[in-house]
PDB file of all heavy atoms in Angstrom:
ATOM      1  N   GLN A 332      30.874 -18.500 -38.951  1.00 83.00           N
ATOM      2  CA  GLN A 332      31.776 -19.601 -38.622  1.00 83.00           C
ATOM      3  C   GLN A 332      33.243 -19.237 -38.758  1.00 83.00           C
ATOM      4  O   GLN A 332      34.098 -19.908 -38.190  1.00 83.00           O
ATOM      5  CB  GLN A 332      31.454 -20.808 -39.514  1.00 83.00           C
ATOM      6  CG  GLN A 332      30.118 -21.459 -39.166  1.00 83.00           C
ATOM      7  CD  GLN A 332      29.667 -22.463 -40.218  1.00 83.00           C
ATOM      8  OE1 GLN A 332      30.384 -22.690 -41.212  1.00 83.00           O
ATOM      9  NE2 GLN A 332      28.504 -23.049 -40.019  1.00 83.00           N
ATOM     10  N   GLY A 333      33.552 -18.214 -39.532  1.00 69.00           N
ATOM     11  CA  GLY A 333      34.922 -17.730 -39.584  1.00 69.00           C
ATOM     12  C   GLY A 333      35.814 -18.350 -40.630  1.00 69.00           C
ATOM     13  O   GLY A 333      36.999 -18.034 -40.696  1.00 69.00           O
ATOM     14  N   ASP A 334      35.302 -19.249 -41.493  1.00 89.00           N
ATOM     15  CA  ASP A 334      36.100 -19.782 -42.595  1.00 89.00           C
ATOM     16  C   ASP A 334      36.259 -18.682 -43.636  1.00 89.00           C
ATOM     17  O   ASP A 334      35.296 -18.285 -44.288  1.00 89.00           O
ATOM     18  CB  ASP A 334      35.405 -21.011 -43.198  1.00 89.00           C
ATOM     19  CG  ASP A 334      36.257 -21.695 -44.264  1.00 89.00           C
ATOM     20  OD1 ASP A 334      36.785 -20.988 -45.126  1.00 89.00           O
ATOM     21  OD2 ASP A 334      36.378 -22.932 -44.215  1.00 89.00           O
ATOM     22  N   GLU A 335      37.476 -18.188 -43.807  1.00 94.00           N
ATOM     23  CA  GLU A 335      37.706 -17.001 -44.625  1.00 94.00           C
ATOM     24  C   GLU A 335      37.273 -17.200 -46.081  1.00 94.00           C
ATOM     25  O   GLU A 335      36.539 -16.390 -46.642  1.00 94.00           O
ATOM     26  CB  GLU A 335      39.193 -16.623 -44.587  1.00 94.00           C
ATOM     27  CG  GLU A 335      39.724 -16.296 -43.198  1.00 94.00           C
ATOM     28  CD  GLU A 335      39.252 -14.944 -42.711  1.00 94.00           C
ATOM     29  OE1 GLU A 335      39.729 -13.932 -43.225  1.00 94.00           O
ATOM     30  OE2 GLU A 335      38.401 -14.907 -41.812  1.00 94.00           O
ATOM     31  N   GLY A 336      37.748 -18.276 -46.709  1.00 94.00           N
ATOM     32  CA  GLY A 336      37.431 -18.499 -48.113  1.00 94.00           C
ATOM     33  C   GLY A 336      35.955 -18.735 -48.347  1.00 94.00           C
ATOM     34  O   GLY A 336      35.382 -18.252 -49.334  1.00 94.00           O
ATOM     35  N   ALA A 337      35.310 -19.477 -47.441  1.00 95.00           N
ATOM     36  CA  ALA A 337      33.883 -19.745 -47.585  1.00 95.00           C
ATOM     37  C   ALA A 337      33.076 -18.470 -47.387  1.00 95.00           C
ATOM     38  O   ALA A 337      32.099 -18.217 -48.106  1.00 95.00           O
ATOM     39  CB  ALA A 337      33.441 -20.810 -46.582  1.00 95.00           C
ATOM     40  N   ALA A 338      33.462 -17.658 -46.403  1.00 96.00           N
ATOM     41  CA  ALA A 338      32.741 -16.410 -46.158  1.00 96.00           C
ATOM     42  C   ALA A 338      32.897 -15.449 -47.335  1.00 96.00           C
ATOM     43  O   ALA A 338      31.927 -14.802 -47.761  1.00 96.00           O
ATOM     44  CB  ALA A 338      33.247 -15.766 -44.873  1.00 96.00           C
ATOM     45  N   ALA A 339      34.114 -15.336 -47.879  1.00 96.00           N
ATOM     46  CA  ALA A 339      34.328 -14.462 -49.032  1.00 96.00           C
ATOM     47  C   ALA A 339      33.485 -14.912 -50.222  1.00 96.00           C
ATOM     48  O   ALA A 339      32.955 -14.087 -50.976  1.00 96.00           O
ATOM     49  CB  ALA A 339      35.807 -14.447 -49.413  1.00 96.00           C
ATOM     50  N   ALA A 340      33.329 -16.226 -50.379  1.00 96.00           N
ATOM     51  CA  ALA A 340      32.493 -16.744 -51.475  1.00 96.00           C
ATOM     52  C   ALA A 340      31.028 -16.399 -51.259  1.00 96.00           C
ATOM     53  O   ALA A 340      30.318 -16.052 -52.215  1.00 96.00           O
ATOM     54  CB  ALA A 340      32.667 -18.259 -51.580  1.00 96.00           C
ATOM     55  N   GLN A 341      30.549 -16.481 -50.032  1.00 96.00           N
ATOM     56  CA  GLN A 341      29.157 -16.130 -49.755  1.00 96.00           C
ATOM     57  C   GLN A 341      28.906 -14.661 -50.062  1.00 96.00           C
ATOM     58  O   GLN A 341      27.859 -14.297 -50.622  1.00 96.00           O
ATOM     59  CB  GLN A 341      28.819 -16.419 -48.276  1.00 96.00           C
ATOM     60  CG  GLN A 341      28.928 -17.868 -47.856  1.00 96.00           C
ATOM     61  CD  GLN A 341      27.873 -18.753 -48.475  1.00 96.00           C
ATOM     62  OE1 GLN A 341      26.895 -18.264 -49.038  1.00 96.00           O
ATOM     63  NE2 GLN A 341      28.056 -20.060 -48.374  1.00 96.00           N
ATOM     64  N   ILE A 342      29.866 -13.800 -49.740  1.00 97.00           N
ATOM     65  CA  ILE A 342      29.703 -12.375 -50.004  1.00 97.00           C
ATOM     66  C   ILE A 342      29.703 -12.112 -51.509  1.00 97.00           C
ATOM     67  O   ILE A 342      28.876 -11.340 -52.021  1.00 97.00           O
ATOM     68  CB  ILE A 342      30.813 -11.573 -49.298  1.00 97.00           C
ATOM     69  CG1 ILE A 342      30.644 -11.684 -47.778  1.00 97.00           C
ATOM     70  CG2 ILE A 342      30.781 -10.110 -49.728  1.00 97.00           C
ATOM     71  CD1 ILE A 342      31.785 -11.078 -46.988  1.00 97.00           C
ATOM     72  N   ALA A 343      30.616 -12.778 -52.240  1.00 96.00           N
ATOM     73  CA  ALA A 343      30.643 -12.604 -53.695  1.00 96.00           C
ATOM     74  C   ALA A 343      29.349 -13.113 -54.318  1.00 96.00           C
ATOM     75  O   ALA A 343      28.797 -12.490 -55.239  1.00 96.00           O
ATOM     76  CB  ALA A 343      31.850 -13.339 -54.280  1.00 96.00           C
ATOM     77  N   ALA A 344      28.842 -14.249 -53.845  1.00 96.00           N
ATOM     78  CA  ALA A 344      27.601 -14.794 -54.386  1.00 96.00           C
ATOM     79  C   ALA A 344      26.402 -13.937 -54.011  1.00 96.00           C
ATOM     80  O   ALA A 344      25.409 -13.891 -54.751  1.00 96.00           O
ATOM     81  CB  ALA A 344      27.405 -16.223 -53.889  1.00 96.00           C
ATOM     82  N   THR A 345      26.472 -13.247 -52.882  1.00 97.00           N
ATOM     83  CA  THR A 345      25.418 -12.290 -52.541  1.00 97.00           C
ATOM     84  C   THR A 345      25.322 -11.210 -53.611  1.00 97.00           C
ATOM     85  O   THR A 345      24.230 -10.758 -53.965  1.00 97.00           O
ATOM     86  CB  THR A 345      25.705 -11.649 -51.164  1.00 97.00           C
ATOM     87  OG1 THR A 345      25.717 -12.665 -50.161  1.00 97.00           O
ATOM     88  CG2 THR A 345      24.653 -10.611 -50.809  1.00 97.00           C
TER      89      THR A 345
END
Side-chain angles (χ1 to χ4, degrees):
Q332 290 168 1
D334 186 313
E335 299 286 288
Q341 298 291 347
I342 294 173
T345 299

